[in-house]
Amino acid sequence: MDIADLAERVGKGERRALARAITLVESAREDHRAQAADLLQTLPRDRQALRIGLSGTPGVGKSTFIESFGMMLIGRGLRVAVLAVDPSSARSGGSILGDKTRMDRLSREPDAFIRPSPSQTHLGGVARRSREAVALCEAAGFDVVLIETVGVGQSETVVAEMSDLFLLLLAPAGGDELQGVKRGIMEIADLILVNKADGDLRAAATRTCADYTGALRLLRKRPQDPEGFPKARMVSALHEDGLADVWSEIETLVSWRCDAGFWDRTRAEQARYWFGQDVRHALLARLETSAAREALANFSEKVAEGEMAPSVAAAAFLEELASKGASES
């Protein structure tokens, strides 16, 4: 694979090259990991897209919202990339990856790119290489990158470490004000959108939006938020109601954070976070060597037979692993 040629084509915004590049960075093969590192190092770094994380419970209408919202943004002259993470089977590891089928209008737009990826049981609602995929979409010149998470619930917060702001979609009558005060995903949301605010559900959506508006007042104000944020808003993705207001709120929030210096600071903190994550994964990968597996099996047997306490065995194993690494280097 010619990495320089692939990087050049990605930089020109070729969607086929972008899809191939994302496939490369998602691969777990050792030779592909080396090529992916070269590719990411070769890409232009002077381009930034607005990264928007989006989550919600299954059935809340995430795909419908993304399609309607993406079509609106394209109508305003913006290029939109969608990275949709689908849940994988814990048994087979497989995924259906049906987001392109759900977003049939958006998938036909030349200024849109939709990439479904399996979570591969990776926790936090995003795939293992979603961050690299975001970087590739930025290098390809997309203006907005929407990161749709699995939708696993209140612990789905990793997406905040790769996005500039976070949208949480809720269904009408999904809970009372007490539900809104619960910590976790609520604390990272910049905008809470009560979807399906149309027809018979509009009255329930109005009550739900009021409940969450009251709940947000009880949360501690974050330094990166201007007065009035985070907010709760009603939208109807099906009828495309309220989407322009959502974009206006996003522009207001992004402008304030840029002027206040939070944009660059947050991105720097995110880079440090992912550096730490990569170091951890590299250390875990060392446990897959034959020597490490043999030593781990030996200490596990001693723990099972009661010869060593788990904490003592763990310390001894790490010390042996470190000494072997030093001797090899």
Side-chain angles (χ1 to χ4, degrees), residues 293-317:
R293 286 198 298 268
E294 183 179 351
L296 190 62
N298 291 336
F299 282 108
S300 296
E301 192 65 26
K302 292 179 180 180
V303 170
E305 293 177 356
E307 296 180 17
M308 299 181 72
S311 57
V312 175
F317 168 72

Side-chain angles (χ1 to χ4, degrees), residues 40-115:
L40 293 169
Q41 193 66 25
T42 308
L43 290 173
R45 302 185 183 182
D46 57 343
R47 301 175 181 176
Q48 282 192 345
L50 174 58
R51 309 170 183 172
I52 302 177
L54 185 142
S55 186
T57 55
V60 75
K62 295 190 294 294
S63 296
T64 305
F65 175 84
I66 289 175
E67 180 172 56
S68 298
F69 192 63
M71 293 296 293
M72 182 199 71
L73 295 179
I74 289 173
R76 297 182 178 221
L78 300 175
R79 298 183 68 216
V80 179
V82 179
L83 301 176
V85 182
D86 280 356
S88 298
S89 169
R91 295 182 177 179
S92 66
S95 297
I96 294 179
L97 304 178
D99 292 270
K100 281 190 176 181
T101 304
R102 286 176 170 170
M103 306 177 196
D104 58 327
R105 286 190 302 150
L106 190 61
S107 63
R108 293 195 297 267
E109 286 290 331
D111 288 328
F113 174 81
I114 302 175
R115 173 69 181 214

